[in-house]
Amino acid sequence: MQFQLKHIVPTPLKDIFSQRQSDIWNKDITFLKEEYIKIKAPSGTGKTTFIHILYKLRHDFEGHVLYDSTNIVEIKKDELAIIRQQKISIIFQDLRLFPNLTAAENIELKRVMQTPIYEKNIIHEMAEKLGIVHILKQKAGLCSYGEQQRIAIIRALVQPFDWLLMDEPFSHLDEQNTHKAAWLISEECAKRKAGFIITDLDEDNHFNYTKKLLL
Amino acid sequence: MFYQLLQKIIRTASGRTRFVMAIIGLSIALLLIFSAVQIEINYNELLHGKTNQDSIANFLVINKLLNSKSYGTTTLSNNEIKNLQQQSFIDAVGILTPSRYKSSIQSFSNRFPFFTEISFESVPATFIDVSTKDWQWNEQSNYIPMIAPNMFLDFYNFQFSLSQNLPQLTQEVVKMIVFKVNITTSTGVIIFNGKIVGFSDRITSLLVPQEFMDWANQHYGSTQNTQPSRAVIRTKDPGNPLLVSYLKEHNLTTDADKTRFSKYRQIVNAIVNISWITGAVMLLFALLIFTLFIQLTIASCKDEIQLLVTLGASPKQLKLFLLNQFFPSNIIIVLIALISVAALQYILHGFLLQQNIFVSSYISAYTVLTALLVIAVLWVTNNRTISTYISLHNK
């Protein structure tokens, strides 16, 4: 699967963006399969807005977004669900875990939402790699932000996908944990021959990016 | 596994009281509706069934009014019978065939001396309200089965036996007695065995099977006057003014007392109508409460539902899950109501049997069909409510 963006501009921020230079807003661009794309931008320039538009969470924009050749406005709810189960996985900036489920249950939910591609023990294996085994049975709402972020990362990696969307996925992690998480993400993307789009505030070398864009 | 997790996320526990109320309302409503259907079916069975020993169905025996004017001309012509059959208020016409030979019955035993001259009548089997396998006759039969009017036995027990110092007889005892049936022919008396196999109120004469009547009339009967003079008609409403005026117009007469059955029917109809209207109104309210309950559950979990959809749960999955939460309880209610009605019907069957009224011990197919219909209505309601409110919180 590939993304095509045709002159997209978020309606609420239209005036601000029209005066600024951007590699994405109001441009005609395509993200090809297996690309590792880094989007860098300071706070308040629409990183989350952009990720949400790509994930079809927001509709308040001008221009067109296409999954392969299908305009996303034409995608129906049940088709969208299949795409989110099979093609596009996401790590939200605000994490979006179910606070009353345990860490393990939050991850399990995404593993079994579609026909699972991994056995149940994958949760333990990945948790071990990111150092959160001890909180797996704890309610997600009681975990620290750093722990929650790692739960959200693992949750995004237990499902099949062609693209992984990440919105500042390491914002609550220290250098060492960021490194571990980035390594796990690379490994899982490589296994699936998947690409990713990551947004962040600064420059970094966590991945071998094929494209770096300024928002 | 996915549904187990959904169960933890979407809590259906909120508003339990409402749920219990909806369930109780629905149960009562269904009980009323199913009962109404079953009562109606039972009533129809009594009205039109062929197996009832004392049905309240509307059978009238009619004959020409005998007075000085009609004296000697009381037979019913073929035209008159055809005309009867054509009337909309008459469902069926059966000819009563009288025996055309002299006959008498008497007891075999001297302990119980009994003799009477008698004549028989026969009528097609569909007009007989005694169901017994003994009601058949052919030339090889050991005895002639007979059906006697209850009136005859009452007459014997409460008048005749007292005056003659004879024992009183119950129906069961009479059914065990074998009588001698003498038929007088031109060449002498021919003796048959006869047995009373049942009692009836419908036709006030001693009935024998049509097969025997035809055979005996052919062999021993006089050939004069073969035209019938009595007929039995089946009508939906003996109180129908059209029927009454028709009979009067054609100089026919019948048992006026039977018109009282139309009163029974009005009462049954009223009960059925009240029961089913109340049931329908209650069902409507129960559905409303149920809908509100589903709506409340979904509304109280709207954030969770939104997040589930964001993460990729399909509306279809959520709908299936919610249907699984709500619908089985509906099916259980329907089944409980149906089983209750079935139990009531079984009790009613036993109760009425003691009074010689026969209704089926099982509930009718129509009642089961109604249950299926109600399940369909419940499914549509559940399904629509869930679909509507899921898409409402999933924009």
Side-chain angles (χ1 to χ4, degrees):
Chain A
M1 190 185 123
Q2 63 180 36
F3 289 107
Q4 270 190 67
L5 313 179
K6 294 193 167 168
H7 304 284
I8 56 167
V9 180
T11 324
L13 307 169
K14 200 176 157 192
D15 295 337
I16 310 168
F17 290 145
S18 57
Q19 293 158 18
R20 260 189 44 219
Q21 266 306 313
S22 162
D23 296 333
I24 289 170
W25 300 131
N26 210 13
K27 291 273 157 47
D28 200 346
I29 44 176
T30 302
F31 298 143
L32 295 170
K33 204 171 181 283
E34 290 186 61
E35 276 194 298
Y36 287 6
I37 293 151
K38 161 84 187 230
I39 293 168
K40 195 189 113 177
S43 298
T45 47
K47 290 191 295 293
T48 299
T49 306
F50 174 64
I51 291 290
H52 285 187
I53 288 173
L54 276 189
Y55 194 64
K56 197 175 177 340
L57 274 188
R58 311 182 52 141
H59 310 91
D60 52 343
F61 62 92
E62 289 174 6
H64 302 289
V65 177
L66 284 78
Y67 293 167
D68 286 328
S69 54
T70 313
N71 191 327
I72 62 169
V73 298
E74 286 160 16
I75 295 175
K76 299 204 173 63
K77 281 171 186 165
D78 280 306
E79 295 166 2
L80 183 67
I82 291 169
I83 290 172
R84 287 173 180 175
Q85 289 174 10
Q86 305 284 347
K87 304 279 187 192
I88 306 174
S89 190
I90 190 163
I91 302 166
F92 289 106
Q93 189 185 22
D94 52 357
L95 309 175
R96 302 200 183 186
L97 301 172
F98 288 102
N100 288 324
L101 294 189
T102 65
E105 285 168 342
N106 265 289
I107 300 166
E108 177 70 358
L109 179 74
K110 208 64 178 105
R111 187 182 75 88
V112 294
M113 194 175 276
Q114 62 290 310
T115 318
I117 51 162
Y118 282 131
E119 294 296 318
K120 195 171 180 171
N121 57 17
I122 191 74
I123 297 173
H124 197 271
E125 282 171 28
M126 288 187 176
E128 204 159 23
K129 284 178 186 167
L130 300 194
I132 53 164
V133 172
H134 60 287
I135 53 114
L136 278 180
K137 286 186 178 153
Q138 205 171 310
K139 286 209 166 151
L142 300 176
C143 295
S144 73
Y145 281 121
E147 287 160 347
Q148 285 191 36
Q149 198 152 39
R150 281 173 281 177
I151 298 167
I153 290 170
I154 296 175
R155 181 177 69 178
L157 296 178
V158 294
Q159 72 166 92
F161 59 82
D162 287 350
W163 282 98
L164 178 61
L165 307 181
M166 298 181 274
D167 193 5
E168 299 188 41
F170 310 130
S171 54
H172 298 291
L173 301 184
D174 58 30
E175 187 75 22
Q176 202 190 353
N177 278 315
T178 301
H179 186 73
K180 286 181 191 168
W183 199 82
L184 182 65
I185 290 167
S186 303
E187 197 179 51
E188 292 300 320
C189 285
K191 266 189 205 166
R192 292 169 175 80
K193 292 192 164 51
F196 67 69
I197 298 168
I198 185 170
T199 67
D200 208 348
L201 298 165
D202 310 301
E203 281 289 340
D204 68 75
N205 290 311
H206 300 318
F207 302 99
N208 297 321
Y209 299 114
T210 54
K211 211 181 255 176
K212 288 188 179 180
L213 300 168
L214 209 69
L215 200 65
Chain B
M1 189 64 213
F2 181 52
Y3 282 173
Q4 281 166 8
L5 287 169
L6 285 185
Q7 224 146 24
K8 289 190 174 179
I9 298 168
I10 300 174
R11 300 224 166 253
T12 48
S14 54
R16 270 282 164 220
T17 353
R18 261 188 214 84
F19 185 66
V20 171
M21 266 169 58
I23 285 200
I24 292 174
L26 197 60
S27 310
I28 297 173
L30 294 184
L31 209 61
L32 285 172
I33 291 176
F34 296 164
S35 301
V37 173
Q38 190 57 44
I39 291 172
E40 179 77 36
I41 300 289
N42 285 345
Y43 187 73
N44 271 321
E45 199 181 347
L46 290 179
L47 203 60
H48 304 297
K50 292 172 183 165
T51 52
N52 268 298
Q53 194 149 33
D54 182 23
S55 80
I56 53 171
N58 304 309
F59 288 87
L60 303 177
V61 175
I62 56 169
N63 50 260
K64 282 270 173 75
L65 191 67
L66 180 65
N67 53 25
S68 52
K69 238 200 245 160
S70 65
Y71 188 80
T73 57
T74 54
T75 53
L76 296 166
S77 71
N78 289 340
N79 270 345
E80 282 171 317
I81 290 164
K82 208 178 270 173
N83 200 281
L84 275 173
Q85 282 166 339
Q86 281 164 353
Q87 302 308 312
S88 59
F89 43 83
I90 294 175
D91 292 342
V93 179
I95 304 299
L96 283 166
T97 317
S99 51
R100 298 197 305 272
Y101 41 80
K102 266 193 164 178
S103 55
S104 63
I105 58 174
Q106 69 182 97
S107 55
F108 278 103
S109 134
N110 285 330
R111 238 184 68 220
F112 167 59
F114 171 81
F115 173 90
T116 180
E117 303 245 311
I118 195 93
S119 69
F120 302 111
E121 259 185 325
S122 72
V123 70
T126 48
F127 289 88
I128 289 174
D129 55 349
V130 175
S131 73
T132 164
K133 58 180 185 336
D134 297 331
W135 189 247
Q136 53 187 1
W137 184 88
N138 59 43
E139 287 177 52
Q140 279 78 46
S141 294
N142 293 326
Y143 62 88
I144 307 161
M146 297 179 283
I147 293 174
N150 278 314
M151 209 179 78
F152 278 25
L153 190 62
D154 291 345
F155 174 69
Y156 170 84
N157 276 330
F158 304 114
Q159 294 176 21
F160 191 73
S161 67
L162 299 177
S163 67
Q164 305 286 316
N165 205 15
L166 289 169
Q168 288 188 316
L169 302 171
T170 62
Q171 287 193 354
E172 280 63 37
V173 170
V174 174
K175 282 184 192 171
M176 286 188 293
I177 301 171
V178 179
F179 293 95
K180 200 192 268 182
V181 177
N182 310 309
I183 293 181
T184 311
T185 71
S186 52
T187 55
V189 175
I190 297 172
I191 297 167
F192 293 87
N193 290 338
K195 231 171 139 179
I196 306 283
V197 296
F199 291 87
S200 166
D201 281 324
R202 194 177 283 170
I203 296 162
T204 48
S205 52
L206 198 58
L207 295 172
V208 292
Q210 188 75 43
E211 295 81 16
F212 174 76
M213 181 59 79
D214 294 343
W215 179 84
N217 271 344
Q218 198 187 337
H219 284 75
Y220 316 122
S222 73
T223 46
Q224 290 165 357
N225 197 15
T226 55
Q227 205 56 34
S229 47
R230 301 216 299 171
V232 54
I233 60 167
R234 199 178 79 207
T235 172
K236 283 198 184 67
D237 183 5
N240 188 342
L242 281 174
L243 173 68
V244 177
S245 66
Y246 177 89
L247 293 179
K248 204 171 175 185
E249 211 172 287
H250 290 79
N251 227 2
L252 295 163
T253 178
T254 184
D255 180 1
D257 195 35
K258 288 208 175 178
T259 52
R260 74 177 188 273
F261 289 133
S262 65
K263 291 250 164 49
Y264 292 164
R265 218 185 48 240
Q266 280 169 5
I267 295 167
V268 173
N269 275 348
I271 294 172
V272 166
N273 284 339
I274 291 170
S275 173
W276 109 261
I277 290 170
T278 316
V281 171
M282 282 192 73
L283 177 69
L284 213 70
F285 277 104
L287 282 178
L288 200 72
I289 301 175
F290 228 91
T291 309
L292 283 172
F293 175 69
I294 293 173
Q295 202 176 325
L296 186 86
T297 305
I298 295 177
S300 71
C301 298
K302 86 175 192 284
D303 293 339
E304 284 81 0
I305 288 174
Q306 246 159 17
L307 180 50
L308 278 165
V309 170
T310 304
L311 290 175
S314 67
K316 229 185 251 169
Q317 283 174 315
L318 294 176
K319 218 171 95 174
L320 258 171
F321 167 76
L322 287 169
L323 266 177
N324 256 319
Q325 298 297 301
F326 298 119
F327 195 51
S329 63
N330 287 354
I331 293 185
I332 290 170
I333 295 169
V334 173
L335 285 181
I336 288 176
L338 204 59
I339 290 168
S340 308
V341 172
L344 287 174
Q345 175 75 8
Y346 190 78
I347 295 168
L348 186 73
H349 163 80
F351 177 71
L352 289 180
L353 205 60
Q354 289 170 6
Q355 330 209 345
N356 276 345
I357 299 174
F358 181 83
V359 295
S360 167
S361 51
Y362 303 109
I363 49 172
S364 72
Y366 288 102
T367 316
V368 178
L369 212 69
T370 311
L372 291 177
L373 198 75
V374 168
I375 288 181
V377 169
L378 286 170
W379 193 83
V380 170
T381 319
N382 275 269
N383 199 27
R384 282 196 56 176
T385 314
I386 291 171
S387 298
T388 311
Y389 287 93
I390 282 186
S391 59
L392 198 72
H393 298 302
N394 168 29
K395 288 234 168 98

